[in-house]
Amino acid sequence: MKILLHVCCAPCSIMSIKKLRELNHDVTGFWYNPNIHPYMEYRSRRDAFRNYSKLIDLPSIYKDEYGLDEFCREVINNLDNRCKSCYAKRICVVAKYAKEHGYDAFCTSLLYSPYQDHEALKEVCYEIAKAFDIEFYYYDFRPYYREGQEEAKRLGIYMQKYCGCIFSEEDRYKKRIERERIKEEIDIEWEKYKKENQIEDLKKEF
Ligand code: SF4
């Protein structure tokens, strides 16, 4: 089968490509991820995939669009459910391209990550496949997650620390931000209490 594989990043693409190739599919990579921010992060991920695709001889297409403003405008009123529209935005472009350029099906490396909402992603892909009259090639790559991560490390491929959008970067630090906020509040209260009760800094003794 001639499959157009949407690639969200190089580490996620490793096992996705390997498994599709093992089944003798003719795979082409398709880079389209306007959800990755800020720009230097976008560039690192795009270039990591560019280098990896050359290494494994994977023909690839780049729809190279950085989209912070547009992405934020689209999701800002529904931040809690932003992932579904983020999947749809990317998959629509992939499915349309696949249909117009004679591919048999499309697939996505997002199916590799256990951190994605797999069921929502699947649903979006099937809906879009129907709308564009092209097959969605479903494959659960998640069981190969560890193997893919090990291979990415071995090859020294850039590995990101958060999903992609600026909101997911904040999520990553949310717990730390909350701890710092509580600590700050306690310090302020303690200073107030010391002043009111004329206490020396006893905190140091504990
Ligand atoms: S968390 Fe990931 S999938 Fe969800 S909106 Fe952000 S970039 Fe897209």
Side-chain angles (χ1 to χ4, degrees), residues 35-37 45 71 75 79 81-87 90 110 116-117 162-169 171:
N35 58 307
I36 302 171
H37 321 129
R45 296 192 202 185
F71 179 88
V75 301
L79 280 183
N81 295 310
R82 66 185 186 274
C83 297
K84 233 177 154 181
S85 64
C86 174
Y87 299 148
R90 291 182 278 170
L110 286 162
Q116 298 298 336
D117 185 341
Y162 57 97
C163 184
C165 63
I166 214 76
F167 308 105
S168 62
E169 197 256 5
D171 288 345

Side-chain angles (χ1 to χ4, degrees), residues 94-191:
V94 180
K96 187 170 183 285
Y97 189 95
K99 179 71 185 174
E100 289 172 356
H101 292 82
Y103 288 86
D104 300 311
F106 71 87
C107 185
T108 173
S109 63
L110 286 162
L111 294 164
Y112 161 87
S113 171
Y115 299 107
Q116 298 298 336
D117 185 341
H118 197 86
E119 291 310 312
L121 172 63
K122 236 166 97 176
E123 200 184 304
V124 165
C125 288
Y126 278 121
E127 274 169 18
I128 292 173
K130 208 168 157 195
F132 286 92
D133 188 27
I134 179 146
E135 187 176 331
F136 162 49
Y137 190 91
Y138 174 69
Y139 194 123
D140 188 357
F141 302 112
R142 289 174 299 177
Y144 309 103
Y145 185 74
R146 289 220 174 282
E147 198 179 332
Q149 295 306 97
E150 288 308 316
E151 182 66 355
K153 272 185 222 155
R154 192 184 68 78
L155 293 170
I157 291 175
Y158 174 71
M159 292 168 88
Q160 64 270 14
K161 307 280 187 297
Y162 57 97
C163 184
C165 63
I166 214 76
F167 308 105
S168 62
E169 197 256 5
E170 186 193 22
D171 288 345
R172 181 185 169 223
Y173 289 108
K174 249 181 191 155
K175 278 191 186 142
R176 193 200 291 181
I177 291 168
E178 184 58 9
R179 274 202 307 273
E180 283 171 2
R181 189 189 63 75
I182 292 169
K183 187 179 171 301
E184 216 169 278
E185 270 178 21
I186 291 171
D187 285 347
I188 291 168
E189 286 306 314
W190 172 244
E191 289 304 323

